[in-house]
Amino acid sequence: MLIDYLFLDKNTCALCQSEYIYKYDLCRDCYDRLDYVDNKFLLKAYECYSIYFYDEFFKKLIGLYKFERRTEFSRIFSKMVYDYGIKKNLFDCDYILPSPSSRKTLINRGFDHIRLITDDFIDKIKPVYLDDFIKVKDTRAQHDLGKEARSTNLIGAFRLDKDLTGKSVLIIDDLVTTGNTSLEMIRVLEQANVKDIKILALASERRVL
Ligand SMILES: [Zn+2]
């Protein structure tokens, strides 16, 4: 029966389907493969947090979500981000800014992958979306580029027509690698006179001890 299938599907691991859910829609085995690093470092003068280490396992999880369009995986990530944000008091701010995708990426992918994650808990937290912040330029993935191209790739990529005097913003992203994307977003927010910025990424390639 269809209803049995739905019931089973809902209660098995989102990744391997083989066992009961332990946490974040994952079974104990899959959950244990997550490398929780709980990193905190500075990007310019701003606190940047990352939850997990971007290893092969996490890369696979993100890849299935973003590129194989397994949109149900948004629930895994939203629970991770929500739990971490509450624990670190990161939602004590005015605005949430899910790292925006360009229009072209949205059309190709069919969904806004960071926004889908934050949509899951936005109604449970105090800050609201900074909707006026948009990505106007379709940039290439930073990791596909050389060092020089990376620094120019993002120039003029984002736009915000809003005054943020006295306001604080939490940027949410899937991955902080070189930090270049975050730095360009920070630059645009600073131009809007923002008071404070924090960045929360699901994963990073840095391991801060
Ligand atoms: Zn599993």
Side-chain angles (χ1 to χ4, degrees), residues 101-137:
S101 299
S102 70
R103 214 176 120 73
K104 190 178 168 191
T105 304
L106 287 180
I107 290 166
N108 287 341
R109 185 169 292 150
F111 64 104
D112 189 337
H113 74 287
I114 307 296
R115 176 85 177 218
L116 194 59
I117 292 170
T118 53
D119 273 350
D120 212 40
F121 59 77
I122 191 71
D123 291 338
K124 290 200 282 185
I125 57 176
K126 187 193 84 168
V128 295
Y129 281 132
L130 185 60
D131 275 327
D132 313 75
F133 194 102
I134 52 170
K135 191 168 186 187
V136 288
K137 187 172 138 188

PDB file of all heavy atoms in Angstrom, residues 101-137:
ATOM      1  N   SER A 101      21.497  32.853  -4.511  1.00  0.00           N
ATOM      2  CA  SER A 101      21.920  32.301  -5.801  1.00  0.00           C
ATOM      3  C   SER A 101      21.513  33.285  -6.894  1.00  0.00           C
ATOM      4  O   SER A 101      20.582  34.065  -6.710  1.00  0.00           O
ATOM      5  CB  SER A 101      21.223  30.966  -6.068  1.00  0.00           C
ATOM      6  OG  SER A 101      21.556  30.024  -5.081  1.00  0.00           O
ATOM      7  N   SER A 102      22.220  33.217  -8.013  1.00  0.00           N
ATOM      8  CA  SER A 102      21.837  34.076  -9.137  1.00  0.00           C
ATOM      9  C   SER A 102      20.564  33.518  -9.773  1.00  0.00           C
ATOM     10  O   SER A 102      20.195  32.350  -9.568  1.00  0.00           O
ATOM     11  CB  SER A 102      22.953  34.125 -10.176  1.00  0.00           C
ATOM     12  OG  SER A 102      23.053  32.874 -10.816  1.00  0.00           O
ATOM     13  N   ARG A 103      19.919  34.354 -10.578  1.00  0.00           N
ATOM     14  CA  ARG A 103      18.699  33.935 -11.267  1.00  0.00           C
ATOM     15  C   ARG A 103      18.949  32.722 -12.163  1.00  0.00           C
ATOM     16  O   ARG A 103      18.158  31.795 -12.226  1.00  0.00           O
ATOM     17  CB  ARG A 103      18.218  35.117 -12.131  1.00  0.00           C
ATOM     18  CG  ARG A 103      16.744  35.224 -12.247  1.00  0.00           C
ATOM     19  CD  ARG A 103      16.390  36.472 -13.044  1.00  0.00           C
ATOM     20  NE  ARG A 103      15.630  36.114 -14.252  1.00  0.00           N
ATOM     21  CZ  ARG A 103      14.365  35.722 -14.240  1.00  0.00           C
ATOM     22  NH1 ARG A 103      13.723  35.611 -13.105  1.00  0.00           N
ATOM     23  NH2 ARG A 103      13.739  35.425 -15.359  1.00  0.00           N
ATOM     24  N   LYS A 104      20.111  32.763 -12.803  1.00  0.00           N
ATOM     25  CA  LYS A 104      20.459  31.668 -13.713  1.00  0.00           C
ATOM     26  C   LYS A 104      20.604  30.337 -12.952  1.00  0.00           C
ATOM     27  O   LYS A 104      20.106  29.299 -13.380  1.00  0.00           O
ATOM     28  CB  LYS A 104      21.763  32.009 -14.447  1.00  0.00           C
ATOM     29  CG  LYS A 104      22.085  31.077 -15.585  1.00  0.00           C
ATOM     30  CD  LYS A 104      23.359  31.516 -16.297  1.00  0.00           C
ATOM     31  CE  LYS A 104      23.834  30.444 -17.242  1.00  0.00           C
ATOM     32  NZ  LYS A 104      25.193  30.720 -17.744  1.00  0.00           N
ATOM     33  N   THR A 105      21.282  30.389 -11.814  1.00  0.00           N
ATOM     34  CA  THR A 105      21.431  29.178 -10.997  1.00  0.00           C
ATOM     35  C   THR A 105      20.079  28.674 -10.514  1.00  0.00           C
ATOM     36  O   THR A 105      19.816  27.468 -10.527  1.00  0.00           O
ATOM     37  CB  THR A 105      22.342  29.457  -9.772  1.00  0.00           C
ATOM     38  OG1 THR A 105      23.587  29.961 -10.236  1.00  0.00           O
ATOM     39  CG2 THR A 105      22.574  28.205  -8.952  1.00  0.00           C
ATOM     40  N   LEU A 106      19.230  29.616 -10.107  1.00  0.00           N
ATOM     41  CA  LEU A 106      17.896  29.227  -9.629  1.00  0.00           C
ATOM     42  C   LEU A 106      17.113  28.496 -10.718  1.00  0.00           C
ATOM     43  O   LEU A 106      16.450  27.492 -10.458  1.00  0.00           O
ATOM     44  CB  LEU A 106      17.101  30.452  -9.185  1.00  0.00           C
ATOM     45  CG  LEU A 106      17.518  31.099  -7.871  1.00  0.00           C
ATOM     46  CD1 LEU A 106      16.635  32.289  -7.556  1.00  0.00           C
ATOM     47  CD2 LEU A 106      17.447  30.085  -6.743  1.00  0.00           C
ATOM     48  N   ILE A 107      17.207  29.015 -11.923  1.00  0.00           N
ATOM     49  CA  ILE A 107      16.482  28.400 -13.040  1.00  0.00           C
ATOM     50  C   ILE A 107      17.059  27.017 -13.350  1.00  0.00           C
ATOM     51  O   ILE A 107      16.324  26.041 -13.504  1.00  0.00           O
ATOM     52  CB  ILE A 107      16.515  29.319 -14.282  1.00  0.00           C
ATOM     53  CG1 ILE A 107      15.633  30.555 -14.026  1.00  0.00           C
ATOM     54  CG2 ILE A 107      16.040  28.579 -15.536  1.00  0.00           C
ATOM     55  CD1 ILE A 107      15.827  31.683 -15.008  1.00  0.00           C
ATOM     56  N   ASN A 108      18.378  26.919 -13.384  1.00  0.00           N
ATOM     57  CA  ASN A 108      19.021  25.636 -13.686  1.00  0.00           C
ATOM     58  C   ASN A 108      18.779  24.590 -12.607  1.00  0.00           C
ATOM     59  O   ASN A 108      18.487  23.433 -12.895  1.00  0.00           O
ATOM     60  CB  ASN A 108      20.534  25.828 -13.839  1.00  0.00           C
ATOM     61  CG  ASN A 108      20.872  26.522 -15.139  1.00  0.00           C
ATOM     62  OD1 ASN A 108      20.055  26.556 -16.075  1.00  0.00           O
ATOM     63  ND2 ASN A 108      22.049  27.112 -15.213  1.00  0.00           N
ATOM     64  N   ARG A 109      18.908  25.021 -11.343  1.00  0.00           N
ATOM     65  CA  ARG A 109      18.795  24.076 -10.234  1.00  0.00           C
ATOM     66  C   ARG A 109      17.336  23.799  -9.872  1.00  0.00           C
ATOM     67  O   ARG A 109      17.000  22.708  -9.429  1.00  0.00           O
ATOM     68  CB  ARG A 109      19.562  24.618  -9.022  1.00  0.00           C
ATOM     69  CG  ARG A 109      19.612  23.686  -7.847  1.00  0.00           C
ATOM     70  CD  ARG A 109      20.596  24.179  -6.810  1.00  0.00           C
ATOM     71  NE  ARG A 109      21.967  24.090  -7.299  1.00  0.00           N
ATOM     72  CZ  ARG A 109      22.957  24.903  -6.932  1.00  0.00           C
ATOM     73  NH1 ARG A 109      22.726  25.872  -6.084  1.00  0.00           N
ATOM     74  NH2 ARG A 109      24.173  24.739  -7.411  1.00  0.00           N
ATOM     75  N   GLY A 110      16.517  24.809 -10.049  1.00  0.00           N
ATOM     76  CA  GLY A 110      15.095  24.637  -9.755  1.00  0.00           C
ATOM     77  C   GLY A 110      14.719  24.983  -8.329  1.00  0.00           C
ATOM     78  O   GLY A 110      13.545  25.009  -7.984  1.00  0.00           O
ATOM     79  N   PHE A 111      15.700  25.215  -7.486  1.00  0.00           N
ATOM     80  CA  PHE A 111      15.391  25.654  -6.114  1.00  0.00           C
ATOM     81  C   PHE A 111      16.562  26.448  -5.551  1.00  0.00           C
ATOM     82  O   PHE A 111      17.693  26.333  -6.015  1.00  0.00           O
ATOM     83  CB  PHE A 111      15.037  24.470  -5.213  1.00  0.00           C
ATOM     84  CG  PHE A 111      16.154  23.482  -4.997  1.00  0.00           C
ATOM     85  CD1 PHE A 111      16.861  23.454  -3.803  1.00  0.00           C
ATOM     86  CD2 PHE A 111      16.494  22.561  -5.978  1.00  0.00           C
ATOM     87  CE1 PHE A 111      17.888  22.546  -3.584  1.00  0.00           C
ATOM     88  CE2 PHE A 111      17.525  21.645  -5.773  1.00  0.00           C
ATOM     89  CZ  PHE A 111      18.219  21.636  -4.582  1.00  0.00           C
ATOM     90  N   ASP A 112      16.224  27.260  -4.552  1.00  0.00           N
ATOM     91  CA  ASP A 112      17.219  28.117  -3.899  1.00  0.00           C
ATOM     92  C   ASP A 112      17.761  27.334  -2.706  1.00  0.00           C
ATOM     93  O   ASP A 112      17.111  27.249  -1.668  1.00  0.00           O
ATOM     94  CB  ASP A 112      16.511  29.409  -3.460  1.00  0.00           C
ATOM     95  CG  ASP A 112      17.486  30.458  -2.968  1.00  0.00           C
ATOM     96  OD1 ASP A 112      18.604  30.079  -2.555  1.00  0.00           O
ATOM     97  OD2 ASP A 112      17.120  31.639  -2.973  1.00  0.00           O
ATOM     98  N   HIS A 113      18.927  26.743  -2.846  1.00  0.00           N
ATOM     99  CA  HIS A 113      19.326  25.697  -1.897  1.00  0.00           C
ATOM    100  C   HIS A 113      19.585  26.166  -0.466  1.00  0.00           C
ATOM    101  O   HIS A 113      19.368  25.403   0.468  1.00  0.00           O
ATOM    102  CB  HIS A 113      20.491  24.868  -2.452  1.00  0.00           C
ATOM    103  CG  HIS A 113      21.808  25.576  -2.443  1.00  0.00           C
ATOM    104  ND1 HIS A 113      22.116  26.588  -3.320  1.00  0.00           N
ATOM    105  CD2 HIS A 113      22.894  25.417  -1.660  1.00  0.00           C
ATOM    106  CE1 HIS A 113      23.352  27.013  -3.076  1.00  0.00           C
ATOM    107  NE2 HIS A 113      23.837  26.326  -2.075  1.00  0.00           N
ATOM    108  N   ILE A 114      20.048  27.385  -0.272  1.00  0.00           N
ATOM    109  CA  ILE A 114      20.247  27.854   1.105  1.00  0.00           C
ATOM    110  C   ILE A 114      18.922  28.357   1.693  1.00  0.00           C
ATOM    111  O   ILE A 114      18.591  28.085   2.846  1.00  0.00           O
ATOM    112  CB  ILE A 114      21.325  28.961   1.185  1.00  0.00           C
ATOM    113  CG1 ILE A 114      22.627  28.504   0.525  1.00  0.00           C
ATOM    114  CG2 ILE A 114      21.581  29.346   2.644  1.00  0.00           C
ATOM    115  CD1 ILE A 114      23.309  27.332   1.203  1.00  0.00           C
ATOM    116  N   ARG A 115      18.175  29.048   0.860  1.00  0.00           N
ATOM    117  CA  ARG A 115      16.881  29.566   1.314  1.00  0.00           C
ATOM    118  C   ARG A 115      15.928  28.432   1.728  1.00  0.00           C
ATOM    119  O   ARG A 115      15.162  28.562   2.680  1.00  0.00           O
ATOM    120  CB  ARG A 115      16.278  30.404   0.180  1.00  0.00           C
ATOM    121  CG  ARG A 115      14.903  30.935   0.436  1.00  0.00           C
ATOM    122  CD  ARG A 115      14.929  32.234   1.201  1.00  0.00           C
ATOM    123  NE  ARG A 115      13.596  32.755   1.359  1.00  0.00           N
ATOM    124  CZ  ARG A 115      13.255  34.035   1.291  1.00  0.00           C
ATOM    125  NH1 ARG A 115      14.186  34.941   1.088  1.00  0.00           N
ATOM    126  NH2 ARG A 115      12.027  34.421   1.439  1.00  0.00           N
ATOM    127  N   LEU A 116      16.000  27.324   1.014  1.00  0.00           N
ATOM    128  CA  LEU A 116      15.149  26.178   1.349  1.00  0.00           C
ATOM    129  C   LEU A 116      15.483  25.644   2.753  1.00  0.00           C
ATOM    130  O   LEU A 116      14.610  25.187   3.488  1.00  0.00           O
ATOM    131  CB  LEU A 116      15.331  25.076   0.301  1.00  0.00           C
ATOM    132  CG  LEU A 116      14.313  23.939   0.284  1.00  0.00           C
ATOM    133  CD1 LEU A 116      12.901  24.454   0.049  1.00  0.00           C
ATOM    134  CD2 LEU A 116      14.668  22.915  -0.798  1.00  0.00           C
ATOM    135  N   ILE A 117      16.754  25.735   3.100  1.00  0.00           N
ATOM    136  CA  ILE A 117      17.198  25.305   4.430  1.00  0.00           C
ATOM    137  C   ILE A 117      16.656  26.250   5.501  1.00  0.00           C
ATOM    138  O   ILE A 117      16.095  25.816   6.504  1.00  0.00           O
ATOM    139  CB  ILE A 117      18.754  25.259   4.488  1.00  0.00           C
ATOM    140  CG1 ILE A 117      19.290  24.143   3.593  1.00  0.00           C
ATOM    141  CG2 ILE A 117      19.242  25.102   5.925  1.00  0.00           C
ATOM    142  CD1 ILE A 117      20.807  24.164   3.393  1.00  0.00           C
ATOM    143  N   THR A 118      16.796  27.552   5.280  1.00  0.00           N
ATOM    144  CA  THR A 118      16.387  28.520   6.308  1.00  0.00           C
ATOM    145  C   THR A 118      14.862  28.675   6.378  1.00  0.00           C
ATOM    146  O   THR A 118      14.334  29.012   7.429  1.00  0.00           O
ATOM    147  CB  THR A 118      17.055  29.891   6.066  1.00  0.00           C
ATOM    148  OG1 THR A 118      16.806  30.306   4.723  1.00  0.00           O
ATOM    149  CG2 THR A 118      18.541  29.813   6.291  1.00  0.00           C
ATOM    150  N   ASP A 119      14.165  28.419   5.266  1.00  0.00           N
ATOM    151  CA  ASP A 119      12.693  28.478   5.259  1.00  0.00           C
ATOM    152  C   ASP A 119      12.100  27.582   6.343  1.00  0.00           C
ATOM    153  O   ASP A 119      11.047  27.859   6.891  1.00  0.00           O
ATOM    154  CB  ASP A 119      12.136  28.005   3.901  1.00  0.00           C
ATOM    155  CG  ASP A 119      12.061  29.134   2.890  1.00  0.00           C
ATOM    156  OD1 ASP A 119      12.253  30.309   3.285  1.00  0.00           O
ATOM    157  OD2 ASP A 119      11.811  28.851   1.700  1.00  0.00           O
ATOM    158  N   ASP A 120      12.806  26.511   6.620  1.00  0.00           N
ATOM    159  CA  ASP A 120      12.326  25.506   7.564  1.00  0.00           C
ATOM    160  C   ASP A 120      12.189  26.027   8.998  1.00  0.00           C
ATOM    161  O   ASP A 120      11.384  25.525   9.766  1.00  0.00           O
ATOM    162  CB  ASP A 120      13.297  24.318   7.529  1.00  0.00           C
ATOM    163  CG  ASP A 120      12.572  23.015   7.797  1.00  0.00           C
ATOM    164  OD1 ASP A 120      11.455  22.867   7.288  1.00  0.00           O
ATOM    165  OD2 ASP A 120      13.132  22.185   8.539  1.00  0.00           O
ATOM    166  N   PHE A 121      13.016  27.028   9.357  1.00  0.00           N
ATOM    167  CA  PHE A 121      12.962  27.500  10.752  1.00  0.00           C
ATOM    168  C   PHE A 121      12.797  29.014  10.888  1.00  0.00           C
ATOM    169  O   PHE A 121      12.803  29.531  12.004  1.00  0.00           O
ATOM    170  CB  PHE A 121      14.202  27.022  11.522  1.00  0.00           C
ATOM    171  CG  PHE A 121      15.524  27.466  10.953  1.00  0.00           C
ATOM    172  CD1 PHE A 121      15.984  28.753  11.132  1.00  0.00           C
ATOM    173  CD2 PHE A 121      16.306  26.570  10.216  1.00  0.00           C
ATOM    174  CE1 PHE A 121      17.204  29.158  10.603  1.00  0.00           C
ATOM    175  CE2 PHE A 121      17.529  26.965   9.683  1.00  0.00           C
ATOM    176  CZ  PHE A 121      17.977  28.263   9.878  1.00  0.00           C
ATOM    177  N   ILE A 122      12.662  29.736   9.777  1.00  0.00           N
ATOM    178  CA  ILE A 122      12.589  31.203   9.847  1.00  0.00           C
ATOM    179  C   ILE A 122      11.447  31.683  10.749  1.00  0.00           C
ATOM    180  O   ILE A 122      11.574  32.694  11.444  1.00  0.00           O
ATOM    181  CB  ILE A 122      12.506  31.825   8.424  1.00  0.00           C
ATOM    182  CG1 ILE A 122      12.709  33.358   8.473  1.00  0.00           C
ATOM    183  CG2 ILE A 122      11.191  31.480   7.726  1.00  0.00           C
ATOM    184  CD1 ILE A 122      14.099  33.831   8.787  1.00  0.00           C
ATOM    185  N   ASP A 123      10.336  30.956  10.778  1.00  0.00           N
ATOM    186  CA  ASP A 123       9.195  31.368  11.599  1.00  0.00           C
ATOM    187  C   ASP A 123       9.405  31.100  13.088  1.00  0.00           C
ATOM    188  O   ASP A 123       8.645  31.566  13.918  1.00  0.00           O
ATOM    189  CB  ASP A 123       7.915  30.646  11.140  1.00  0.00           C
ATOM    190  CG  ASP A 123       7.470  31.131   9.769  1.00  0.00           C
ATOM    191  OD1 ASP A 123       7.866  32.256   9.389  1.00  0.00           O
ATOM    192  OD2 ASP A 123       6.742  30.388   9.089  1.00  0.00           O
ATOM    193  N   LYS A 124      10.441  30.323  13.396  1.00  0.00           N
ATOM    194  CA  LYS A 124      10.697  29.986  14.804  1.00  0.00           C
ATOM    195  C   LYS A 124      11.693  30.943  15.458  1.00  0.00           C
ATOM    196  O   LYS A 124      11.938  30.856  16.661  1.00  0.00           O
ATOM    197  CB  LYS A 124      11.263  28.557  14.916  1.00  0.00           C
ATOM    198  CG  LYS A 124      10.237  27.480  14.599  1.00  0.00           C
ATOM    199  CD  LYS A 124      10.659  26.130  15.169  1.00  0.00           C
ATOM    200  CE  LYS A 124      11.720  25.451  14.329  1.00  0.00           C
ATOM    201  NZ  LYS A 124      12.051  24.099  14.822  1.00  0.00           N
ATOM    202  N   ILE A 125      12.313  31.819  14.664  1.00  0.00           N
ATOM    203  CA  ILE A 125      13.363  32.683  15.208  1.00  0.00           C
ATOM    204  C   ILE A 125      12.994  34.158  15.048  1.00  0.00           C
ATOM    205  O   ILE A 125      12.097  34.500  14.281  1.00  0.00           O
ATOM    206  CB  ILE A 125      14.735  32.396  14.541  1.00  0.00           C
ATOM    207  CG1 ILE A 125      14.663  32.570  13.018  1.00  0.00           C
ATOM    208  CG2 ILE A 125      15.215  30.989  14.890  1.00  0.00           C
ATOM    209  CD1 ILE A 125      15.986  32.397  12.298  1.00  0.00           C
ATOM    210  N   LYS A 126      13.709  35.005  15.774  1.00  0.00           N
ATOM    211  CA  LYS A 126      13.393  36.437  15.800  1.00  0.00           C
ATOM    212  C   LYS A 126      13.725  37.177  14.495  1.00  0.00           C
ATOM    213  O   LYS A 126      12.913  37.956  14.012  1.00  0.00           O
ATOM    214  CB  LYS A 126      14.139  37.072  16.987  1.00  0.00           C
ATOM    215  CG  LYS A 126      13.774  38.519  17.252  1.00  0.00           C
ATOM    216  CD  LYS A 126      14.755  39.185  18.217  1.00  0.00           C
ATOM    217  CE  LYS A 126      15.982  39.703  17.506  1.00  0.00           C
ATOM    218  NZ  LYS A 126      16.869  40.588  18.231  1.00  0.00           N
ATOM    219  N   PRO A 127      14.929  36.996  13.941  1.00  0.00           N
ATOM    220  CA  PRO A 127      15.262  37.770  12.743  1.00  0.00           C
ATOM    221  C   PRO A 127      14.404  37.419  11.529  1.00  0.00           C
ATOM    222  O   PRO A 127      13.867  36.308  11.440  1.00  0.00           O
ATOM    223  CB  PRO A 127      16.734  37.404  12.484  1.00  0.00           C
ATOM    224  CG  PRO A 127      16.966  36.137  13.216  1.00  0.00           C
ATOM    225  CD  PRO A 127      16.045  36.150  14.392  1.00  0.00           C
ATOM    226  N   VAL A 128      14.304  38.378  10.608  1.00  0.00           N
ATOM    227  CA  VAL A 128      13.564  38.158   9.364  1.00  0.00           C
ATOM    228  C   VAL A 128      14.549  38.169   8.195  1.00  0.00           C
ATOM    229  O   VAL A 128      15.710  38.538   8.344  1.00  0.00           O
ATOM    230  CB  VAL A 128      12.478  39.249   9.143  1.00  0.00           C
ATOM    231  CG1 VAL A 128      11.410  39.148  10.219  1.00  0.00           C
ATOM    232  CG2 VAL A 128      13.089  40.647   9.122  1.00  0.00           C
ATOM    233  N   TYR A 129      14.071  37.768   7.030  1.00  0.00           N
ATOM    234  CA  TYR A 129      14.945  37.732   5.852  1.00  0.00           C
ATOM    235  C   TYR A 129      15.344  39.131   5.389  1.00  0.00           C
ATOM    236  O   TYR A 129      14.520  40.045   5.398  1.00  0.00           O
ATOM    237  CB  TYR A 129      14.223  37.050   4.694  1.00  0.00           C
ATOM    238  CG  TYR A 129      14.208  35.549   4.760  1.00  0.00           C
ATOM    239  CD1 TYR A 129      13.033  34.839   4.566  1.00  0.00           C
ATOM    240  CD2 TYR A 129      15.377  34.839   4.995  1.00  0.00           C
ATOM    241  CE1 TYR A 129      13.012  33.452   4.605  1.00  0.00           C
ATOM    242  CE2 TYR A 129      15.366  33.452   5.046  1.00  0.00           C
ATOM    243  CZ  TYR A 129      14.184  32.768   4.845  1.00  0.00           C
ATOM    244  OH  TYR A 129      14.178  31.407   4.890  1.00  0.00           O
ATOM    245  N   LEU A 130      16.584  39.262   4.986  1.00  0.00           N
ATOM    246  CA  LEU A 130      17.046  40.487   4.331  1.00  0.00           C
ATOM    247  C   LEU A 130      16.778  40.310   2.829  1.00  0.00           C
ATOM    248  O   LEU A 130      17.669  40.003   2.050  1.00  0.00           O
ATOM    249  CB  LEU A 130      18.538  40.709   4.609  1.00  0.00           C
ATOM    250  CG  LEU A 130      19.151  42.013   4.103  1.00  0.00           C
ATOM    251  CD1 LEU A 130      18.460  43.223   4.715  1.00  0.00           C
ATOM    252  CD2 LEU A 130      20.638  42.069   4.418  1.00  0.00           C
ATOM    253  N   ASP A 131      15.515  40.486   2.471  1.00  0.00           N
ATOM    254  CA  ASP A 131      15.090  40.152   1.111  1.00  0.00           C
ATOM    255  C   ASP A 131      15.650  41.065   0.026  1.00  0.00           C
ATOM    256  O   ASP A 131      15.687  40.693  -1.133  1.00  0.00           O
ATOM    257  CB  ASP A 131      13.556  40.161   1.026  1.00  0.00           C
ATOM    258  CG  ASP A 131      12.970  38.834   1.464  1.00  0.00           C
ATOM    259  OD1 ASP A 131      13.623  37.795   1.231  1.00  0.00           O
ATOM    260  OD2 ASP A 131      11.868  38.831   2.045  1.00  0.00           O
ATOM    261  N   ASP A 132      16.085  42.256   0.441  1.00  0.00           N
ATOM    262  CA  ASP A 132      16.556  43.216  -0.571  1.00  0.00           C
ATOM    263  C   ASP A 132      17.961  42.896  -1.073  1.00  0.00           C
ATOM    264  O   ASP A 132      18.445  43.523  -2.002  1.00  0.00           O
ATOM    265  CB  ASP A 132      16.567  44.624   0.024  1.00  0.00           C
ATOM    266  CG  ASP A 132      15.280  44.917   0.757  1.00  0.00           C
ATOM    267  OD1 ASP A 132      15.097  44.386   1.870  1.00  0.00           O
ATOM    268  OD2 ASP A 132      14.451  45.649   0.208  1.00  0.00           O
ATOM    269  N   PHE A 133      18.602  41.943  -0.441  1.00  0.00           N
ATOM    270  CA  PHE A 133      19.969  41.584  -0.839  1.00  0.00           C
ATOM    271  C   PHE A 133      19.902  40.539  -1.951  1.00  0.00           C
ATOM    272  O   PHE A 133      19.400  39.431  -1.752  1.00  0.00           O
ATOM    273  CB  PHE A 133      20.710  41.006   0.368  1.00  0.00           C
ATOM    274  CG  PHE A 133      22.196  40.907   0.191  1.00  0.00           C
ATOM    275  CD1 PHE A 133      23.045  41.828   0.775  1.00  0.00           C
ATOM    276  CD2 PHE A 133      22.750  39.877  -0.565  1.00  0.00           C
ATOM    277  CE1 PHE A 133      24.420  41.737   0.628  1.00  0.00           C
ATOM    278  CE2 PHE A 133      24.127  39.777  -0.727  1.00  0.00           C
ATOM    279  CZ  PHE A 133      24.963  40.711  -0.121  1.00  0.00           C
ATOM    280  N   ILE A 134      20.372  40.884  -3.143  1.00  0.00           N
ATOM    281  CA  ILE A 134      20.241  39.946  -4.255  1.00  0.00           C
ATOM    282  C   ILE A 134      21.571  39.717  -4.981  1.00  0.00           C
ATOM    283  O   ILE A 134      22.480  40.539  -4.922  1.00  0.00           O
ATOM    284  CB  ILE A 134      19.179  40.418  -5.294  1.00  0.00           C
ATOM    285  CG1 ILE A 134      19.462  41.859  -5.736  1.00  0.00           C
ATOM    286  CG2 ILE A 134      17.771  40.289  -4.730  1.00  0.00           C
ATOM    287  CD1 ILE A 134      18.636  42.307  -6.918  1.00  0.00           C
ATOM    288  N   LYS A 135      21.633  38.593  -5.640  1.00  0.00           N
ATOM    289  CA  LYS A 135      22.807  38.290  -6.467  1.00  0.00           C
ATOM    290  C   LYS A 135      22.466  38.670  -7.900  1.00  0.00           C
ATOM    291  O   LYS A 135      21.568  38.092  -8.510  1.00  0.00           O
ATOM    292  CB  LYS A 135      23.178  36.811  -6.363  1.00  0.00           C
ATOM    293  CG  LYS A 135      24.525  36.516  -6.991  1.00  0.00           C
ATOM    294  CD  LYS A 135      25.004  35.120  -6.633  1.00  0.00           C
ATOM    295  CE  LYS A 135      26.426  34.909  -7.153  1.00  0.00           C
ATOM    296  NZ  LYS A 135      26.882  33.525  -6.980  1.00  0.00           N
ATOM    297  N   VAL A 136      23.176  39.664  -8.413  1.00  0.00           N
ATOM    298  CA  VAL A 136      22.826  40.183  -9.737  1.00  0.00           C
ATOM    299  C   VAL A 136      23.692  39.604 -10.849  1.00  0.00           C
ATOM    300  O   VAL A 136      23.364  39.700 -12.016  1.00  0.00           O
ATOM    301  CB  VAL A 136      22.907  41.730  -9.780  1.00  0.00           C
ATOM    302  CG1 VAL A 136      21.754  42.337  -8.991  1.00  0.00           C
ATOM    303  CG2 VAL A 136      24.235  42.243  -9.260  1.00  0.00           C
ATOM    304  N   LYS A 137      24.799  39.020 -10.458  1.00  0.00           N
ATOM    305  CA  LYS A 137      25.721  38.508 -11.467  1.00  0.00           C
ATOM    306  C   LYS A 137      25.866  36.996 -11.309  1.00  0.00           C
ATOM    307  O   LYS A 137      26.002  36.497 -10.192  1.00  0.00           O
ATOM    308  CB  LYS A 137      27.085  39.195 -11.262  1.00  0.00           C
ATOM    309  CG  LYS A 137      28.137  38.908 -12.318  1.00  0.00           C
ATOM    310  CD  LYS A 137      29.345  39.815 -12.075  1.00  0.00           C
ATOM    311  CE  LYS A 137      30.647  39.055 -12.261  1.00  0.00           C
ATOM    312  NZ  LYS A 137      31.821  39.843 -11.847  1.00  0.00           N
TER     313      LYS A 137
END
